[in-house]
Each structure stands twice: as structure tokens, then as C-alpha cells.
Amino acid sequence: MAQSDISGKISDEAGMPLAGVNIVLDGTTQGSVSDFDGNYTISNVENGTYVLNATYLGYSKFTKNVTVDGENITVNITMTEDAESLDQIIITGVTNPKSRIESSVSVTTMRPKVIEQSAPRTTAEIFRTIPGIRSESSGGEGNSNIAVRGVPVSSGGSKYVQLQEDGLPVLLFGDMSFATADIFTRYDANIGRIEAIRGGSASTLSSNSPGAIINLISKTGKTEGGSIATSFGLDYGNFRTDFDYGAPIAEGLYFHMGGFYRVGEGIRDAGYTANNGGQFKFNLTKEFEKGHVRIFAKYLNDKAIAYLPNPIQVTGTNADPDFENIPNFDANNQTLHTPYLDQNVGLGASGELRRSNVSDGMNPISTSFGVQASFDLGDNFKITNNGRFSSNKGGFNSPFPASVSTASDFLAGDFATNNGYDSLVYANGDGAVSGSSLLTPVVLFDTQLNNFNNFMNDIRLSKKFDKLDVTVGYFKGIQNVSMSWLWNSYLLEASGEDARLIDALDAGGTPLSVNGLVGYGAAFFGNCCQRSYDTRYNTSAPYLALAFEASDKLNIDASIRFDKGQVDGSFAGPATSVYDVNNDGEISLPEQTVQSIDLTNATTVNYDYDYVSFSLGANYLLKENEAVFARYSRGGAAKADRILFAGLDYTNSDRINALDFINQAEIGYKRGFEKGSLYATLFFAKTIEEGGFEATSNSIIENDYKSVGIEIEGSYRFSEDFNVRGGLTFTDAEIDSGDNAGNKPRRQPDFIYNFIPTYNFGKTNKNAFGLSFIGQSKAYAQDSNELVLPGFVIINSFINIGITDNLNANLSANNLFDSLGITESEEGSIIEGQTNYLRVRPVPGRSISLGLNYSF
């Protein structure tokens, strides 16, 4: 019989070749695998009609009918990304990578094409579309609050949620003051995908992460390709260029590199260049017959504006408040940052005279080097090691409003009367401040991140028996925490455009402040907060994981981890002295009480802690594309600097309230359809959280929480042109102890949701248009459950146009209708029947950007 060849080239939607794609003729043993250039050939095919299938991890299955009739035929294949595929292999929070259909965890995978559909402006905005995750992305490029499944944001940052890069924590603790993990994390073109595991084995396969692990996984360059992209703001100041490129160098040797640089004012009007910096990443992989070694490096030096609360006015009732902009301030699109407050002068960490630039904002400087290695040792033994050293430092500089009031009310208050304030004038010479003008006493959070270096290493030895996989691992993490709080206090008008500093005068017209500065220290907080930490956290964590294949359909896994921490160092609080800061030979009122750090009376820190985490799960395959799973876990999280305040015995390991715990249960359902997928997980979480030390009772106060809810995530392709994906999380959360027992935890909505429809059009479907609806229901401002924060929905849109095969234009609009979405309020209640002035953090308003992307 006649025999022919079927051949062609396989590429992705951007035209880049895909290596390693499996191509088979259905019902036969004939097939092929694409090479590095995406080429494939199926030889000696007899005449007839066949169904040709092509499959590749992370892409939708390609199917086409082909007829062979004595001649060679060419079938070129374009693979479509499918982040929801049940065949997607999960590597985060597991010891042995498994497909989603086989894994007994709740996991979401997002690839760049999916991420772009929600038009995110920051890394934290990406996380908003992960079910179960509450990402309060109102702080800018970092300083975001990230919570999971009703577990409270008790202090800020990502407590209970571990941010990782390529399988290792960015920082050992996610909620360190002014050094949250997302400040040191940037999403760019280097990232191949993001995996997010909620609950499950997150408790046992990483330290301080019982709630979730969010892992940013880098491209490796095994398949040659790259891109150059430039974007700029159409209605705000921003210019950014991204690039990446990776390729094989020789047989079994390949690399990837890339990064970004951007500069601009930012998405809110600051009046100066507020964002300026970038990142570069590189990795090199060598494959051997029985394993591989990968070296990687990162350099990040970025200055990004940090958005703290904005002033706003509220009328109505606590249950039904009406939030509105105050005169001359748009809470969505403006900020208290101003060119008039561009520097901060005072005494440094060692008592020296020093100056900092407010425009530095959040300024992470990180240099990282690491090695990954994995080898098959024979006899079903495998060893893997992942290690990294990071040199981290930088700063956090941003004005925090201590209150908002009229000038008359401020002058009538305790602070003004105690300091002899009689009247107010603009510091730039614009004359007197009227009594009805709104102003805000500002504490400038000038925090120096002196040393946040860390070393992380995770080594695992696995042995595969007949139906049992055994993994023994050991994690070592060493984290330095050295920072200095060098805060000053200023009077600032509550204006969103070039806010002016305000000086105070006594009854005789003599100035009592200097160019708006009213105190060298946190004067509006009672001079509480000049302090310095210099501590080290040494964590050792052996762990054991078992995976048992009970049958073709049933998988059971169990894991246990023992974390032991050793903490040493010291911290020092404030001291007050008289100091001529401006060297004019005279002592002004602020110079009479200059705050510095009392290094001669440092508090010794030397204590240990330990805790055990465990997780037990099972996954049952109902059909080839349908499964259920169940899991119970208990995990812990240690505190770092959040407890370094006077009052505790920091040398007594038995008296340190360093640990918090979460007990979790979950039952999940997974179903794949021909054109979509559905995931649903019922969850229960019980949080046992140690509070601060109470001096009056000489005891440690515990705050407990519980929550129950459901996560739903799904996608569906109605046609080759139109698809939708989305997620919904319902959480019934409750405070379970203390004075607020029975109330909802602050800022916890019942519903969080996202819905993202996308339409592809054009002859080759290279053009796309999409919307994303990201929202939440109402929540309470504080645990007292008085003031309601209204629910909101943010609508984003994007349109991609394929100019040529490799060149695309993108128009993105975030918060298209400029909706007011308040994520937190400093005040927990209002006085009903009058106008109240509050401090809130809203998500940024509308921003529109245009970009060009060239793939090669």
C-alpha cells in the first residue's frame, strides 16, 4: 500500500516554535515529537483518513482530520494556551509534581496571556483574580495586604501567605513592617506562569505559609524566543520597556534573561517623578543524562511611590455611609505626596545628621544568586536542591495622615493648644490658612531597610517504591531584619495637587514650626516610634512527605514538618534631646525635643520557638476528567518584628507570643469539559492568633477567628472566538474571642469575585478584546463592625491588535469607570448626621495605557 509522510511546524499563538509537543494519529501507534524548531514528521503513513492529535503541557489539545492519499502532506499546528487544563503539572507546594486532576490541593495557574486579560498595573493586582485570595492592591507597587479564606489581615502584608520566586520564599516572613514580600517582588516578561495553592500542603512544604503559597515561576529558554515591549500611560505619567530572550546554546544547554525599566509620575498625581527603576534576571540550565543544574540571578533596584491613606469625607450612617471627595482632592486619582515635601532631615540610626528623599518611596535593592539541581540517583532515588542567597536593602518613605480636620478644629485640639499654636500660615508665603481649610497632620514614614539579607535552601531526597513515594526534606532559612524608623511630623494642606506645607505661629506671630515641620519624630503619635531593629531569624525545618497510589483512581498523601526558629539580636526605642538640626545657632520649638534612637539602652532579643505542621489529603478520580479531593491541615506562622515592642521578655522563650496557627479542612471537586473546566472547594479555617502583651494584666491576649466558605473557579470556550473565565469566593468569617467575639474580621467581605470574557477576532484570531469585572461585597472598616465599607466592582478592558505576525499593539484601561473601591479605613465609625473626615485607602482610579510588543 502507498505510504506518505505527514509533517509540519508547531508554534504558539505568537508564532514561536514549540519543542516537545506530542503528535499522534488517533487509534494508531504512529506519532512524533516536535524538535527545537517546532518541526515534526510522521513517516510511512498508509492511505486513509485519520484524526491527528497534538498535546502539550499548558496548551489546549489540537485535533484535526487529515486524509492521506499517496502524497506527503503538510499540517502546520498553532497551539493555544490553556491555563485551566486539568493536565497542567503542579510543582508548587508538592514534593512530587502531579497534574491538577491528580492533586489533592486547591490550585490556580496563570500564564502571561491570562494575566494580561485583567490589565494589572502591579503584582498585587494580578493576585486579585485568584479565588480565595483577598489582595488589597491599594498601596501601589508593594505594601499590599494579602489574605486568604477569611484568615485576617491582623497586622499588614501577607501574613499566612508566602510569596515565592521559583520555589523559594522571597522573604522568610511576609508581614514585616515596611518590608513586605511584594515590595521585593516584580512581575515582568521573565515569568512563565504563576501557581497559587490555597491551604493544603502549603502548611508543610514552606515555612510561615499555612494559608497559601503564590509562586512566580521563571521561563528557562529551553524553547528559543523572546520579546520587546514598550508601554506608556495615555492619561498618567509612565514609560516602561520590558524585554526577554531565551534559547538553547548547545545540546542540553540553554539560558533565559530579561527585565524591565520604567520611569514616570505613577497612576496618581504626585507632582514629581515617583517611579524610577527596574529589574534584570538571568538563568542558565545544563541538562545531563540523569538530571540538570540551573544557576539563576536577579538584580532589582526600583523606586516606586507608596500610597498610604487618602482623606475623604463621609456622611450618612455607619450602616449606610456616603463616601465623597473632599474639596480639592480626588481620592481615586490624587495623593498627599507633593513636591513641597521632598526631603526629610533628622538624626539617623547612629545619631548622625542625615537626609532622605521622599521621592525614593519604596526602594527595594536586591541582588540574588541561586542554584537549582535535580538528579536521578538510580534505584528510584532522586535528589533535588534549591538554594539562593539574596542581599536585600532599601527604604520606605511616604507621608501618613494622622488625622484630617479643618484648620479651626486643629487649632482647638490638644496638640495645638499644648504647643501654643494660635494661627496657621502657608510655609511658601501664600498667606494665612483660613479656618475652614482642610489640613492633615502628617507623620512621614521614613524607614530605612538596612539589612534584609536572607539565605534559603530546600533539599529533598525521594524514593519511589511500587505504589509509594517517600520524600525526606530539610529547609534552612536565615533572615536578617535590620531597619530604622526615622520619622518626622509635618503640617500639610489636604489638597491633591501640590499640597502646601503649613507653619504654626504663636499669639505674637512667632513661627513655632520650620517649613511645615512641627516635630523631629512622630509628634502626632506621642513621639512613640523612633526605633531600630537588628535581629536574625534562623529557621530549620525537616519534613517528611508520603504519597500512596492506593488504586488507579485513589491517591493519598500525608506530610509533616517541624519548624524550629532561633532569634537573636536587639532593638532600641526612642530618646529625646535638644539638637540644632538646621545649624542656625538657635533652638526652635521642634529642636527642643528631637527624637533619636537610644542605642545605649537596647533590648536584648534571644529566644527560640518551634512548632509542628501536618497535612493529610486524598484525591479520587471519578472519571478521566473528573475528581474529588479532601484534606485536613494544621500549620503555623512565626512573627518577626511585629512583636518587637517594649513589654515582653525577649529572652524568655516560654513567654514570647511568636506563633500563630491555622487549622483547615477542605473538600474539592474538579471537572474538565470539552470546552472548559470547573473547580469548587468548600473550606473551613480556624485561626488561633496570639496578640500583643497587655501590661495591665501581665498576660498575652489571644485573638481567634473562624471562617467557612466556598471557592469556585471556572472557564468555558463558547467558540474558537469567545471564551470566559472567572471565580467566586464566599466566606462567612467570624471573630471567635475577645470583646468583638461574633463580629466579622475587619475588611473581610462575604463575596469576592471576578469575571473575564474575551473575544478573539480577525482572520487568524490574532486580535482580541476583553473585559474583566473584579469586585467584592461590603465589609466592615474595623473589628467593632460599625462603619461599613461599601462593596464595589472594578471594570478593566483591553484590546490587542496584531499589526504583523509578530508585532502587536495593546490598549489597556484599568478601572474604566473610575469606581471608588475602598479597601481599608483607619477610622472604625463616624458621627451620624454630620460631615466626617476619614483616612482611607482606595484602589487607584482610571488609567489608560498603550503598548507595543514584538515577539521573535
Side-chain angles (χ1 to χ4, degrees):
M1 298 182 65
Q3 294 183 331
S4 307
D5 293 345
I6 302 175
S7 62
K9 185 171 184 176
I10 304 178
S11 58
D12 63 14
E13 293 169 288
M16 302 308 300
L18 293 176
V21 179
N22 291 309
I23 309 99
V24 297
L25 297 179
D26 197 22
T28 75
T29 59
Q30 291 180 285
S32 179
V33 178
S34 60
D35 62 18
F36 281 118
D37 296 319
N39 298 315
Y40 76 95
T41 300
I42 305 175
S43 303
N44 302 321
V45 181
E46 295 181 354
N47 289 347
T49 298
Y50 301 89
V51 176
L52 185 147
N53 293 324
T55 57
Y56 190 57
L57 178 63
Y59 288 77
S60 298
K61 182 179 180 180
F62 176 90
T63 299
K64 183 174 183 177
N65 292 324
V66 296
T67 299
V68 177
D69 189 16
E71 296 183 358
N72 296 335
I73 62 174
T74 300
V75 179
N76 293 321
I77 298 172
T78 299
M79 303 292 289
T80 303
E81 284 190 17
D82 182 10
E84 306 300 329
S85 170
L86 289 170
D87 296 324
Q88 183 77 249
I89 301 299
I90 304 304
I91 66 173
T92 302
V94 296
T95 53
N96 293 291
K98 291 182 179 295
S99 65
R100 296 183 73 176
I101 194 66
E102 298 175 304
S103 300
S104 55
V105 293
S106 297
V107 60
T108 296
T109 301
M110 296 188 294
R111 290 183 175 271
K113 184 178 179 181
V114 171
I115 292 170
E116 291 166 5
Q117 291 174 355
S118 61
R121 295 168 292 196
T122 65
T123 303
E125 287 191 343
I126 296 172
F127 304 154
R128 296 185 304 186
T129 58
I130 301 174
I133 297 292
R134 189 174 89 250
S135 182
E136 298 177 353
S137 54
S138 51
E141 191 65 58
N143 191 36
S144 302
N145 297 320
I146 304 172
V148 60
R149 290 181 171 176
V151 176
V153 178
S154 53
S155 53
S158 58
K159 186 175 180 63
Y160 307 117
V161 178
Q162 187 69 266
L163 297 188
Q164 294 186 349
E165 287 185 313
D166 296 314
L168 289 174
V170 175
L171 299 174
L172 190 59
F173 307 93
D175 66 335
M176 291 182 289
S177 301
F178 305 104
T180 53
D182 65 327
I183 287 179
F184 287 91
T185 307
R186 296 290 186 272
Y187 174 83
D188 61 15
N190 288 289
I191 302 302
R193 70 183 187 276
I194 296 175
E195 291 182 354
I197 286 184
R198 286 88 65 194
S201 51
S203 295
T204 55
L205 293 180
S206 189
S207 294
N208 305 318
S209 60
I213 298 173
I214 302 176
N215 187 15
L216 282 70
I217 301 170
S218 300
K219 300 174 184 176
T220 62
K222 189 170 184 177
T223 300
E224 183 177 8
S227 65
I228 298 176
T230 296
S231 63
F232 54 91
L234 295 180
D235 60 348
Y236 69 103
N238 180 69
F239 186 88
R240 171 168 170 155
T241 296
D242 289 71
F243 80 98
D244 80 297
Y245 178 70
I249 302 173
E251 184 69 27
L253 181 66
Y254 45 92
F255 79 98
H256 188 271
M257 65 176 182
F260 77 91
Y261 194 88
R262 57 90 187 275
V263 62
E265 185 176 5
I267 52 181
R268 287 190 169 127
D269 298 331
Y272 57 87
T273 299
N275 295 328
N276 191 356
Q279 175 175 262
F280 178 78
K281 296 174 71 174
F282 173 85
N283 63 63
L284 177 68
T285 304
K286 172 60 180 175
E287 291 184 345
F288 300 93
E289 181 180 355
K290 295 186 177 181
H292 75 273
V293 174
R294 176 175 299 128
I295 60 173
F296 54 91
K298 177 182 94 170
Y299 179 70
L300 168 67
N301 189 339
D302 192 22
K303 296 177 181 179
I305 189 169
Y307 297 122
L308 293 177
N310 276 345
I312 204 166
Q313 66 183 33
V314 186
T315 55
T317 65
N318 281 293
D320 186 21
D322 184 13
F323 288 80
E324 295 179 316
N325 290 324
I326 64 172
N328 303 315
F329 199 105
D330 183 341
N332 267 2
N333 300 293
Q334 295 182 313
T335 173
L336 287 173
H337 294 80
T338 170
Y340 287 106
L341 181 55
D342 65 343
Q343 67 175 18
N344 191 45
V345 178
L347 298 183
S350 299
E352 78 283 6
L353 191 64
R354 46 88 66 175
R355 179 177 69 90
S356 66
N357 293 321
V358 179
S359 60
D360 286 350
M362 295 178 286
N363 181 204
I365 303 172
S366 179
T367 305
S368 299
F369 299 95
V371 178
Q372 298 174 346
S374 179
F375 285 94
D376 182 355
L377 303 178
D379 196 25
N380 290 322
F381 277 100
K382 182 180 181 180
I383 189 169
T384 61
N385 190 82
N386 192 4
R388 184 194 67 223
F389 171 78
S390 296
S391 173
N392 299 318
K393 61 180 180 179
F396 185 104
N397 210 317
S398 186
F400 179 89
S403 62
V404 182
S405 68
T406 64
S408 295
D409 287 342
F410 173 77
L411 288 173
D414 291 341
F415 183 87
T417 55
N418 291 340
N419 286 280
Y421 291 6
D422 182 72
S423 61
L424 303 172
V425 296
Y426 292 108
N428 68 343
D430 283 348
V433 178
S434 70
S436 61
S437 296
L438 291 174
L439 57 80
T440 174
V442 164
V443 175
L444 187 69
F445 286 173
D446 184 350
T447 306
Q448 299 304 298
L449 309 180
N450 304 316
N451 182 347
F452 279 76
N453 297 353
N454 62 49
F455 171 75
M456 310 283 184
N457 194 85
D458 194 308
I459 186 169
R460 303 174 182 178
L461 178 65
S462 299
K463 167 69 173 177
K464 184 175 181 60
F465 297 92
D466 182 23
K467 292 187 176 182
L468 177 68
D469 291 339
V470 179
T471 299
V472 178
Y474 187 87
F475 172 80
K476 168 62 72 174
I478 300 174
Q479 177 72 61
N480 290 337
V481 178
S482 176
M483 76 173 93
S484 304
W485 296 13
L486 307 171
W487 302 356
N488 284 349
S489 299
Y490 299 84
L491 272 181
L492 190 68
E493 70 171 328
S495 173
E497 183 176 356
D498 297 345
R500 294 166 291 182
L501 292 165
I502 294 172
D503 277 328
L505 308 178
D506 65 14
T510 301
L512 299 178
S513 58
V514 181
N515 195 29
L517 185 141
V518 301
Y520 290 100
F524 299 121
F525 294 163
N527 286 327
C528 64
C529 300
Q530 298 310 78
R531 60 180 51 241
S532 179
Y533 309 125
D534 188 8
T535 50
R536 289 157 296 280
Y537 297 79
N538 190 333
T539 296
S540 302
Y543 57 93
L544 171 68
L546 307 174
F548 179 62
E549 186 179 342
S551 68
D552 291 340
K553 295 185 176 181
L554 178 62
N555 293 318
I556 301 173
D557 65 274
S559 51
I560 189 169
R561 182 186 187 95
F562 177 71
D563 275 86
K564 181 175 179 58
Q566 298 173 303
V567 186
D568 66 88
S570 63
F571 70 93
T576 304
S577 63
V578 176
Y579 196 99
D580 186 8
V581 176
N582 61 7
N583 291 315
D584 67 351
E586 298 181 3
I587 300 299
S588 64
L589 180 62
E591 291 173 335
Q592 294 176 16
T593 55
V594 177
Q595 297 291 298
S596 59
I597 298 171
D598 189 5
L599 297 175
T600 60
N601 289 295
T603 298
T604 299
V605 177
N606 194 323
Y607 65 89
D608 300 336
Y609 65 84
D610 60 71
Y611 62 94
V612 176
S613 304
F614 64 85
S615 185
L616 175 65
N619 189 85
Y620 185 75
L621 194 65
L622 299 172
K623 299 177 183 178
E624 181 182 357
N625 61 346
E626 185 178 13
V628 293
F629 71 91
R631 181 173 291 276
Y632 183 80
S633 307
R634 174 178 170 84
K639 294 186 180 73
D641 65 297
R642 295 286 182 177
I643 57 172
L644 297 185
F645 289 81
L648 295 175
D649 184 353
Y650 296 98
T651 60
N652 186 340
S653 300
D654 295 330
R655 294 292 298 159
I656 293 294
N657 56 331
L659 299 176
D660 305 310
F661 293 94
I662 304 178
N663 297 323
Q664 299 178 82
E666 49 193 319
I667 300 174
Y669 173 78
K670 297 171 281 190
R671 174 70 185 271
F673 304 94
E674 181 180 355
K675 294 184 178 181
S677 60
L678 175 68
Y679 307 88
T681 304
L682 290 168
F683 61 84
F684 169 81
K686 169 72 173 177
T687 305
I688 304 170
E689 188 170 86
E690 299 282 358
F693 182 82
E694 184 181 68
T696 55
S697 63
N698 196 32
S699 63
I700 295 171
I701 306 300
E702 293 184 356
N703 302 296
D704 300 339
Y705 306 83
K706 63 182 179 182
S707 62
V708 62
I710 184 170
E711 300 168 355
I712 300 174
E713 179 182 12
S715 65
Y716 192 77
R717 293 189 305 275
F718 290 91
S719 67
E720 292 297 323
D721 301 329
F722 181 62
N723 68 85
V724 297
R725 67 181 183 92
L728 170 70
T729 304
F730 168 74
T731 307
D732 183 11
E734 181 180 320
I735 301 171
D736 206 29
S737 67
D739 294 338
N740 293 309
N743 289 353
K744 288 186 177 295
R746 60 178 182 166
R747 313 202 305 263
Q748 175 61 56
D750 287 342
F751 291 94
I752 302 172
Y753 57 90
N754 67 85
F755 177 71
I756 306 175
T758 304
Y759 177 72
N760 298 290
F761 60 96
K763 290 184 179 180
T764 59
N765 276 349
K766 288 184 177 296
N767 306 321
F769 170 76
L771 296 170
S772 65
F773 302 81
I774 299 172
Q776 66 178 56
S777 60
K778 69 178 183 180
Y780 287 106
Q782 297 294 342
D783 291 342
S784 58
N785 284 189
E786 296 176 84
L787 178 62
V788 168
L789 301 180
F792 60 88
V793 57
I794 302 300
I795 301 176
N796 309 314
S797 68
F798 76 93
I799 182 168
N800 291 324
I801 301 296
I803 301 174
T804 67
D805 286 343
N806 296 327
L807 179 64
N808 294 280
N810 174 276
L811 180 67
S812 297
N814 201 298
N815 198 352
L816 187 62
F817 296 102
D818 203 27
S819 300
L820 178 65
I822 298 173
T823 63
E824 66 178 86
S825 168
E826 298 301 315
E827 286 76 20
S829 65
I830 63 172
I831 299 175
E832 299 179 356
Q834 71 176 47
T835 299
N836 301 262
Y837 300 109
L838 272 60
R839 299 159 295 159
V840 301
R841 290 217 320 193
V843 298
R846 177 173 49 245
S847 63
I848 303 173
S849 62
L850 177 66
L852 291 174
N853 183 296
Y854 179 72
S855 300
F856 54 90

